[in-house]
Amino acid sequence: MFKKVQWKLVMTYLLLILFAMQLIGFYFMREINTYFIGQLSSNLTTQARLLADYLKHSFSDQGNSASPEANLDMDNFAYTFAQLTGGQIYILNKNGVIVSTSASKTLIGQKRIQTQVTHALSSGVNDTPQLVDMGEGRRFMVLAVPIQDSDQVVGAVDLEVPMKGIYQTIYRIYWIFFSGTFLALGLTAFLGFVIARTITVPVVEITKKAKEMAKGDFSQKVLIHSDDEIGQLGEAFNYLTDRLKAALEEIEGEKDKITAILLHMSDGVIAANQSGEIMITNPAAESMLGKKKGELIGKPLIDCIDLSDLATSAAGSIMSGDSPSNVILKGPNGRTLHAYLTFFRDKGSIHTGQILVLRDVTEFETQEQMRREFVANVSHEIRTPLTTISSYLEALMDGVLYDPSISLKFIQVIENETKRMVRLVNDLLQLSRLDAGIITWNFQTIHLRDVLQSVYERFHLECIRQQIQLDFSEPDDDLIVYTDRDKLDQVLDNILSNSLKYTHAGGKIRLEVEGTEDQRIVFRVADTGIGIPKEDLPKIFDRFYRVDKARSRKMGGTGLGLSISRQMVEAHGGTIHIDSELGKGTVVTFTLPQKGGR
């Protein structure tokens, strides 16, 4: 309970009041005690002197006895004094013998030997009142005053006044003071509690609102009841609430943006703390590393990337944080990853974490390799006919030109190689236009019967010459296809040419066409040729790829026909694939849309 500010304030008020009252009480009681005792002492001294001055005429010249009238007079004085003060009076002669008293009459004639009496009779000097404790709580103020006549001590007046009444009065005052003190403390406690509540209630309310804010509820507002410091604190709290709410909304917005960026960016991002433990990953990074969602969180960063291909010193330099690093790493399933590792630091340049950015460069590396292979293949394909032409030209220039039988053969070879280069260049130009998307298309709806009849006429004589049987299914008269006629003829020519090249005499080639329920036309060219090894099928549409390179070159092939065919079919919105078994033949199937639209 006393840990609360409210009770601390109340206790502080009470202690301050109590300390002040104690200080005032000590001074007040001391002054009260001094005042009452001083007053009693002063009154007693005055009374004693008046009695001494009055009684000096009651003693005879000898000072040892008094007349009966004087004794009566002294008895009256003694009785009156006792009635007024409540004390006792002793009238003594110069020998200290009691001649009259307000006490018991049996004391008359006895000698008083008290110190104050002896001192007054012997010195003749007025003494000061003294406090005497008689024991058992009986305290008296005593005073002995000499009675002088013509500078001669003729007797003495000895007064004893009890202090009980004085002390009762003082104690009564003390009780009144302490009662007032406790009453003041009670009122102070009540007022302190009320005042403390006016201070602590707003503070408690602000504290409660602050706890709600800490839980994420920023709708809290403090009611302002005054314009003092507490009210200003409430206004500051409300302003802080608005500012925090706006700041957190801004942070949440930025966080959502970053999350959206990380979620949808194609590059993988991994963030690790100072200890190297992964804190954040995005789906792209998890996919590149072949991990499930959240599987990398909490794991060491170095365990998630494969540095086995790097030297130990290089791997250590990468993870040390000396500088950003770019490395090529192995990923799962044969993927190639480009990794950029950097470190973020605080204002004191202290290393506080790591950022790893991954990019899947498999396709880029594949395309780069294909580009290098393409350049090499083009160079090789062009160099071969050029070398042949150059050799035959040199031979002609050396004199073969003048031998008609030989020179004609040489010129025919040069012509064939030239045509081969022309075909190669034309195919390359066509591929280039297809890649760039600048080739001209003339799409229209045509009847398939006309297409197949034209194909048959083009290849019929060549098949007879090579002793190969050419069959094709006659489509329905109403079977149509939406295509570029020239491009379709080129695709069919490329496929049938390959079948002729790789089918031996006595073999068969069959062309089939049929429509499907999903409004597509399926073309199927099947032959009984040499077939294609299973391991070569995935590469069959690559540029310059040949299964039998010697036979292909001998037949004048460029190795680009199937690649061109695939791009043309896909440009129509169709698909193409090859099924083949070595030694048993090949089936090439492609589809085209039956009606308008690609």
Side-chain angles (χ1 to χ4, degrees):
M1 179 177 71
F2 292 105
K3 292 182 179 179
K4 293 184 178 180
V5 175
Q6 178 178 344
W7 292 107
K8 289 181 179 179
L9 288 174
V10 172
M11 291 303 298
T12 301
Y13 289 147
L14 288 178
L15 290 175
L16 286 174
I17 294 297
L18 184 61
F19 174 76
M21 295 300 289
Q22 288 290 336
L23 186 64
I24 294 172
F26 173 77
Y27 175 78
F28 177 74
M29 287 185 289
R30 188 187 67 177
E31 291 299 317
I32 286 293
N33 190 71
T34 302
Y35 172 78
F36 276 97
I37 294 177
Q39 281 294 105
L40 179 61
S41 175
S42 177
N43 292 336
L44 190 61
T45 300
T46 301
Q47 292 172 0
R49 288 176 180 175
L50 289 174
L51 286 173
D53 186 62
Y54 181 80
L55 292 173
K56 65 181 180 179
H57 301 292
S58 300
F59 286 90
S60 61
D61 294 339
Q62 290 80 14
N64 293 323
S65 61
S67 63
E69 294 80 1
N71 287 335
L72 181 60
D73 193 21
M74 287 187 288
D75 289 340
N76 290 333
F77 270 105
Y79 176 77
T80 303
F81 177 81
Q83 291 295 318
L84 291 175
T85 64
Q88 303 294 334
I89 182 172
Y90 299 90
I91 301 174
L92 311 174
N93 60 18
K94 63 180 180 181
N95 295 321
V97 177
I98 298 173
V99 295
S100 181
T101 180
S102 62
S104 175
K105 297 302 180 179
T106 60
L107 297 176
I108 296 175
Q110 296 183 7
K111 188 173 183 178
R112 288 184 64 83
I113 58 175
Q114 279 72 11
T115 304
Q116 67 274 11
V117 174
T118 304
H119 182 267
L121 292 175
S122 61
S123 64
V125 178
N126 294 331
D127 206 349
T128 57
Q130 296 180 4
L131 289 174
V132 177
D133 191 348
M134 301 297 185
E136 298 180 359
R138 296 180 301 148
R139 287 178 290 181
F140 293 87
M141 179 172 285
V142 297
L143 175 65
V145 177
I147 300 173
Q148 295 179 333
D149 186 17
S150 301
D151 296 331
Q152 295 293 321
V153 176
V154 295
V157 176
D158 184 15
L159 303 178
E160 290 183 357
V161 177
M163 299 294 294
K164 183 178 181 181
I166 296 297
Y167 280 113
Q168 285 179 344
T169 302
I170 292 174
Y171 292 152
R172 179 64 179 173
I173 294 173
Y174 286 175
W175 185 86
I176 294 172
F177 176 80
F178 285 118
S179 298
T181 299
F182 286 114
L183 180 61
L185 287 175
L187 291 174
T188 301
F190 174 74
L191 293 176
F193 181 79
V194 173
I195 295 173
R197 278 186 59 83
T198 62
I199 298 174
T200 58
V201 167
V203 174
V204 170
E205 183 183 1
I206 292 175
T207 302
K208 183 179 178 181
K209 302 289 186 182
K211 290 180 179 179
E212 293 297 324
M213 284 176 57
K215 296 177 181 178
D217 183 5
F218 290 94
S219 63
Q220 303 296 319
K221 291 291 183 180
V222 175
L223 297 178
I224 308 301
H225 301 287
S226 62
D227 294 331
D228 57 8
E229 288 81 357
I230 299 297
Q232 294 173 8
L233 176 61
E235 292 177 353
F237 178 85
N238 292 337
Y239 176 73
L240 176 63
T241 301
D242 295 335
R243 293 288 295 170
L244 280 176
K245 184 178 181 180
L248 284 178
E249 288 177 351
E250 183 177 354
I251 291 173
E252 285 295 326
E254 294 298 324
K255 182 180 178 182
D256 291 340
K257 292 178 184 177
I258 294 174
T259 301
I261 291 172
L262 289 175
L263 185 64
H264 296 97
M265 69 186 300
S266 58
D267 290 348
V269 178
I270 299 176
N273 59 20
Q274 186 176 9
S275 303
E277 295 180 353
I278 295 176
M279 302 181 298
I280 300 173
T281 61
N282 69 340
E286 294 167 343
S287 176
M288 291 180 190
L289 297 176
K291 303 296 182 180
K292 297 179 181 178
K293 183 178 180 180
E295 185 178 351
L296 295 174
I297 302 300
K299 293 184 178 180
L301 178 61
I302 194 171
D303 292 346
C304 299
I305 56 177
D306 186 1
L307 300 175
S308 59
D309 284 351
L310 302 177
T312 304
S313 58
S317 176
I318 289 172
M319 301 307 298
S320 65
D322 296 335
S323 61
S325 304
N326 284 281
V327 293
I328 300 297
L329 305 175
K330 289 182 179 179
N333 301 323
R335 309 299 291 177
T336 302
L337 305 178
H338 173 265
Y340 177 79
L341 182 67
T342 188
F343 298 80
F344 51 89
R345 308 174 187 276
D346 58 14
K347 293 182 179 180
S349 297
I350 303 299
H351 167 213
T352 56
Q354 302 161 299
I355 293 290
L356 178 68
V357 180
L358 298 174
R359 177 170 295 173
D360 191 340
V361 295
T362 306
E363 297 299 328
F364 174 79
E365 290 292 327
T366 301
Q367 292 177 3
E368 185 66 18
Q369 181 63 28
M370 290 175 61
R371 185 188 65 81
R372 289 192 292 265
E373 292 177 356
F374 177 76
V375 172
N377 287 329
V378 169
S379 301
H380 179 72
E381 293 295 334
I382 293 178
R383 183 180 61 182
T384 301
L386 286 176
T387 302
T388 302
I389 293 172
S390 177
S391 300
Y392 279 80
L393 286 175
E394 288 178 1
L396 289 172
M397 293 174 64
D398 288 341
V400 176
L401 178 64
Y402 301 103
D403 187 342
S405 61
I406 299 177
S407 61
L408 183 60
K409 293 180 181 179
F410 279 21
I411 291 173
Q412 288 177 344
V413 171
I414 292 173
E415 182 185 14
N416 291 334
E417 293 299 325
T418 302
K419 290 180 179 179
R420 179 182 167 192
M421 280 198 303
V422 171
R423 288 195 301 271
L424 176 62
V425 171
N426 288 335
D427 287 345
L428 288 174
L429 288 173
Q430 193 166 29
L431 276 174
S432 175
R433 292 192 187 98
L434 286 169
D435 290 340
I438 59 175
I439 195 168
T440 302
W441 298 90
N442 182 23
F443 287 96
Q444 58 184 328
T445 301
I446 60 176
H447 291 275
L448 283 172
R449 179 179 289 275
D450 297 338
V451 174
L452 295 185
Q453 185 64 40
S454 176
V455 171
Y456 181 81
E457 292 174 355
R458 290 198 301 272
F459 285 90
H460 176 64
L461 293 177
E462 184 64 26
C463 288
I464 292 175
R465 189 180 67 83
Q466 296 186 25
Q467 299 179 5
I468 297 173
Q469 180 182 346
L470 176 61
D471 296 331
F472 72 93
S473 61
E474 293 188 5
D476 298 333
D477 292 337
D478 59 349
L479 192 61
I480 59 174
V481 65
Y482 183 75
T483 183
D484 185 319
R485 174 65 182 270
D486 292 337
K487 305 302 187 295
L488 177 58
D489 287 341
Q490 187 174 352
V491 171
L492 290 172
D493 288 351
N494 287 337
I495 296 173
L496 288 169
S497 295
N498 284 337
S499 295
L500 282 172
K501 291 175 186 177
Y502 299 105
T503 301
H504 298 294
K508 181 193 294 187
I509 299 175
R510 180 170 178 78
L511 173 59
E512 297 178 352
V513 180
E514 62 180 358
T516 63
E517 294 181 357
D518 59 350
Q519 300 296 309
R520 300 187 76 80
I521 302 298
V522 178
F523 295 83
R524 186 176 296 106
V525 178
D527 63 58
T528 58
I530 62 176
I532 302 172
K534 186 177 181 179
E535 61 273 12
D536 289 326
L537 285 176
K539 304 177 182 178
I540 199 66
F541 290 105
D542 293 349
R543 298 174 184 182
F544 295 109
Y545 188 81
R546 299 184 181 93
V547 177
D548 186 346
K549 295 181 175 59
R551 183 180 178 91
S552 178
R553 289 198 179 96
K554 182 179 179 181
M555 301 299 294
T558 62
L560 298 174
L562 286 178
S563 180
I564 293 173
S565 298
R566 181 179 66 176
Q567 288 196 241
M568 286 185 173
V569 170
E570 290 177 351
H572 281 75
T575 60
I576 184 171
H577 71 276
I578 295 178
D579 296 316
S580 183
E581 188 174 353
L582 190 62
K584 294 185 178 181
T586 302
V587 178
V588 180
T589 305
F590 68 92
T591 63
L592 294 178
Q594 184 174 358
K595 295 185 179 180
R598 285 190 285 171

